[in-house]
Amino acid sequence: MATDASEATARGPVRTFAEDYGLLVVAGLFAVLGLAGVALYVFGDTAYARTLLDRYGLVALFFVFILEGAMLLYFAPSEALVPAAVAVLARTAGGYELPVVVAILAVAVAGATLGQTCLFLLAKRGGREWLLARPWFRVDEDRLDRFGHMFDRFGVLALPLSNTLLFTRGMLTVPAGVAGMSTRRFVLLSALGTLSFEILLAAAAMGVLELL
């Protein structure tokens, strides 16, 4: 008992809590996010996402992107979010307000990275089998195996690349967590991939790509 107490003291109260209860806290957050995603799916659709943006602005965008990053976005396609936000929040009669576009990108990257990091920590602490047993985890075992092999083959650089591509976004989050990647490195690479993806979507929404 004395040894356990001395180890807890050496670790510090915050680290002790994180190591002992972190998995439960993140799992509880996922349960809440999952319920929110289901509720939004039941009561809304893509048009409803635009209504949320129009009514609550960047706050709604941040929350929705947490769901997107955590792979709990049921009610709207992820590729429609930033273009919708640009159209609703940044478009004016004279064109687009670039500071607002930058704010949209910042909020999107922050929200998606937070959501992906939560899922990453669950995979890192709970493990692959624990996740597969959760009802809110929507990726089947075969698909998870395919992306696990992709991560094993191409390493950490595959993470930002996968986040840049439409059909692979977020799919390397769990393999990265299971592989024990450092959280700091994951956050950096995840944010980098999301930023490149959302910049392309925003540029397309503003017609920039059509001018190239």
Side-chain angles (χ1 to χ4, degrees):
M1 295 293 293
T3 302
D4 292 342
S6 62
E7 288 179 355
T9 302
R11 287 185 297 172
V14 175
R15 183 175 176 182
T16 299
F17 179 85
E19 291 181 354
D20 293 343
Y21 302 103
L23 182 61
L24 293 176
V25 172
V26 179
L29 174 62
F30 256 70
V32 173
L33 289 173
L35 290 174
V38 171
L40 289 171
Y41 175 77
V42 171
F43 296 109
D45 50 21
T46 303
Y48 187 63
R50 297 176 72 94
T51 301
L52 287 175
L53 291 172
D54 188 44
R55 183 173 301 177
Y56 302 108
L58 294 177
V59 174
L61 185 68
F62 180 69
F63 174 74
V64 170
F65 261 99
I66 293 176
L67 291 175
E68 189 266 348
M71 302 183 72
L72 295 170
L73 186 65
Y74 305 111
F75 73 104
S78 61
E79 67 274 11
L81 295 177
V82 161
V86 169
V88 171
L89 302 176
R91 189 171 186 174
T92 65
Y96 295 93
E97 297 183 7
L98 290 182
V100 178
V101 174
V102 171
I104 289 170
L105 292 174
V107 168
V109 171
T113 302
L114 177 58
Q116 286 195 358
T117 302
C118 287
L119 182 57
F120 167 82
L121 291 174
L122 278 181
K124 191 173 184 178
R125 293 187 63 86
R128 179 177 177 277
E129 299 306 321
W130 186 87
L131 272 177
L132 287 171
R134 304 280 77 78
W136 39 258
F137 187 65
R138 299 184 297 158
V139 182
D140 60 54
E141 186 172 4
D142 290 340
R143 196 176 184 195
L144 193 60
D145 286 341
R146 289 199 302 273
F147 284 98
H149 294 323
M150 178 180 175
F151 183 83
D152 292 338
R153 180 177 180 182
F154 297 105
V156 296
L157 293 180
L159 179 60
L161 178 61
S162 69
N163 264 4
T164 306
L165 302 176
L166 183 60
F167 298 106
T168 61
R169 263 192 61 72
M171 293 305 302
L172 292 188
T173 299
V174 171
V178 172
M181 178 188 290
S182 73
T183 303
R184 181 178 299 180
R185 175 178 289 185
F186 174 82
V187 170
L188 177 63
L189 295 177
S190 171
L192 180 63
T194 297
L195 177 61
S196 60
F197 180 69
E198 302 305 346
I199 285 176
L200 289 174
L201 290 179
M206 297 167 62
V208 174
L209 296 182
E210 296 177 1
L211 302 177
L212 298 180

